[in-house]
Amino acid sequence: MTYVSFPTNKPLDFVAIGRLCIDLNANEIHRPMEETMTFTKYVGGSPANITIGMSRLGLNTAFIGKVANDQMGRFITDYLQRNKIDTTGVVTDTTGAVTGLAFTEIKSPTDCSILMYRDNAADLKLTPNEVQEELIAQAKVLLISGTALAKSPSREAVFQALNYAKKHGAVIVFDLDYRPYTWTSPEETAVYYNLAAEKCDIILGTREEFDMMECFENNESSDDKVTASKWFNHSAKIVIIKHGKDGSIAYTQDDEGHRAKSFPAKVVKTFGAGDSYAAGFLYGVMQGWTLEKSMEFGSAAACIVISSHSCSDAMPTVYQVEDYIERCNRNEITAS
Ligand SMILES: Nc1ncnc2c1ncn2[C@@H]1O[C@H](COP(=O)(O)OP(=O)(O)OP(=O)(O)O)[C@@H](O)[C@H]1O
Ligand SMILES: O=C(O)C[C@@H](O)[C@H](O)C(=O)CO
């Protein structure tokens, strides 16, 4: 059964808009940041990671965003290009803005946190008139991600991209990617998240992210099915609610939910799970696979990334994901 129809007559499979930054992941893992001395530098930012994931899976991809006019900005653009991502939509800041930095602390496989340096970050300076309509017109899928809604003018740039995607018939995906440090209040966050989500065909988020969006409705965590059903009154065709190592559930308008188990993993760090899951899942639905198969593929892609040191650099190929699933089926991989 097909839940979402992707346009067939477009040259670009996937374009994402939003955050491009640098992850500095602790080399000395299982230590607090206070005792960490060295870091490895990777391209970061959830929509960038997802786009790198889609490109590694063999899709034709592009990115819309803004980088600082410095060595870090050039490192990001160069890395995207080396990963075969079209960067004609990546503009360079001219105001002296800087590249956002995420220092990751890996205390244990379950206790990870991110220390952010995002004052005057270039990615939030993208303006609506810098969003190229032509790029979105050529794309089957536009992915937006929540952090870009946190501040103007990037917020308006995302809504401009949504307008273009609607006009040209791209399938719109919203990865909620809620990072509280970027926002001023939960109420402001919920307003813009809800306005954007109304326009989207596929919405992916964790239970906590959906709870944030429902902060006007009640103070308690909702039932997943109740949460999902609200969005079918707008544009949504698929709503996915993720539950960490307990797996994920996909809802469509007419059913009780499709549950995907997660695979075992030798976890190094937890961040990056959601980005690799999104890339794997979206790849699957774009191939016309069932929701279960697409979710399984996303779950296995997530395991590969959380078993690795980086998010972006560890994004797997189709062969790597298939091999991981086969090895799990042969009980060759056990949880850490
Ligand atoms: N410890 C784990 N072991 C196995 N699979 C996992 C684990 N954690 C996450 N996953 C897989 O990754 C998917 C997405 O993870 P999660 O629900 O943590 O998303 P997220 O919170 O968006 O991730 P992130 O930490 O990148 O923000 C899960 O549905 C599951 O399939
Ligand atoms: O910007 C962040 O919040 C951290 C990212 O750079 C990181 O790569 C990430 O988003 C993983 O999901």
Side-chain angles (χ1 to χ4, degrees), residues 109-110 175 177 179 205-206 208-209 241-249 260-265 267 270-278 295 298-300 302-303 306 311 335:
T110 50
D175 182 19
D177 180 40
R179 309 280 173 165
T206 62
E208 297 73 27
E209 289 171 333
I241 304 179
K242 298 175 287 179
H243 289 273
K245 67 175 169 30
D246 296 327
S248 53
I249 310 176
K261 66 173 177 61
S262 58
F263 292 97
V267 182
T270 53
F271 43 84
D275 301 339
S276 40
Y277 176 91
M295 292 161 84
S299 305
C303 286
I306 60 181
C311 298

Side-chain angles (χ1 to χ4, degrees), residues 16-333:
I17 181 167
R19 180 156 106 265
L20 287 164
C21 53
I22 299 280
D23 287 349
L24 290 153
N25 290 2
N27 292 332
E28 295 93 29
I29 59 171
H30 306 158
R31 274 191 216 176
M33 184 65 83
E34 289 84 341
E35 293 165 25
T36 305
M37 302 305 288
T38 65
F39 301 84
T40 300
K41 180 175 91 177
Y42 302 103
V43 167
S46 172
N49 292 339
I50 297 172
T51 309
I52 293 161
M54 295 300 262
S55 189
R56 294 266 172 92
L57 292 169
L59 298 187
N60 204 0
T61 61
F63 201 88
I64 300 170
K66 187 170 258 191
V67 289
N69 186 14
D70 62 14
Q71 295 90 328
M72 294 295 198
R74 289 189 283 281
F75 167 76
I76 292 170
T77 310
D78 181 60
Y79 185 86
L80 297 183
Q81 288 169 353
R82 281 192 281 119
N83 278 275
K84 304 195 184 88
I85 297 165
D86 179 334
T87 57
T88 50
V90 176
V91 291
T92 302
D93 172 76
T94 53
T95 68
V98 297
T99 305
L101 303 178
F103 288 87
T104 63
E105 177 185 52
I106 308 174
K107 283 206 244 179
S108 79
T110 50
D111 187 3
C112 304
S113 61
I114 300 181
L115 198 58
M116 297 301 300
Y117 288 75
R118 284 188 59 75
D119 281 349
N120 200 26
D123 58 89
L124 291 171
K125 309 265 176 192
L126 184 73
T127 63
N129 65 327
E130 289 168 330
V131 177
Q132 293 174 21
E133 179 171 0
E134 189 48 31
L135 210 48
I136 295 174
Q138 288 176 15
K140 294 176 187 162
V141 173
L142 168 74
L143 178 131
I144 66 163
S145 121
T147 301
L149 294 168
K151 286 204 169 47
S152 296
S154 153
R155 174 183 288 167
E156 290 76 14
V158 172
F159 281 101
Q160 181 71 289
L162 288 170
N163 289 339
Y164 290 148
K166 285 275 183 214
K167 178 175 163 190
H168 296 287
V171 169
I172 306 173
V173 181
F174 189 4
D175 182 19
L176 300 182
D177 180 40
Y178 172 47
R179 309 280 173 165
Y181 48 73
T182 324
W183 291 85
T184 46
S185 76
E187 291 76 14
E188 181 202 29
T189 318
V191 166
Y192 288 102
Y193 265 84
N194 281 291
L195 279 174
E198 286 173 12
K199 303 179 193 324
C200 298
D201 301 289
I202 301 176
I203 308 174
L204 297 125
T206 62
R207 180 65 261 168
E208 297 73 27
E209 289 171 333
F210 282 102
D211 286 344
M212 172 278 294
M213 291 168 74
E214 290 169 8
C215 74
F216 295 123
E217 292 160 33
N218 55 50
N219 293 321
E220 286 167 24
S221 184
S222 265
D223 174 64
D224 285 350
K225 189 165 192 291
V226 173
T227 292
S229 59
K230 169 180 165 185
W231 298 106
F232 300 128
N233 299 325
H234 298 282
S235 303
K237 280 101 194 162
I238 303 174
V239 177
I240 295 209
I241 304 179
K242 298 175 287 179
H243 289 273
K245 67 175 169 30
D246 296 327
S248 53
I249 310 176
Y251 290 92
T252 59
Q253 182 129 32
D254 302 316
D255 58 41
E256 290 303 309
H258 307 248
R259 189 173 282 275
K261 66 173 177 61
S262 58
F263 292 97
K266 295 253 179 281
V267 182
V268 173
K269 46 94 180 98
T270 53
F271 43 84
D275 301 339
S276 40
Y277 176 91
F281 171 76
L282 292 172
Y283 173 80
V285 287
M286 290 186 77
Q287 306 309 301
W289 296 350
T290 62
L291 287 183
E292 283 82 0
K293 186 173 174 192
S294 307
M295 292 161 84
E296 179 179 293
F297 197 80
S299 305
C303 286
I304 293 172
V305 168
I306 60 181
S307 313
S308 316
H309 191 250
S310 78
C311 298
S312 53
D313 222 34
M315 287 288 169
T317 61
V318 172
Y319 170 78
Q320 287 172 312
V321 181
E322 288 173 347
D323 181 59
Y324 195 89
I325 294 173
E326 279 171 25
R327 284 192 289 137
C328 287
N329 291 342
R330 292 197 299 266
N331 294 324
E332 287 172 15
I333 298 177

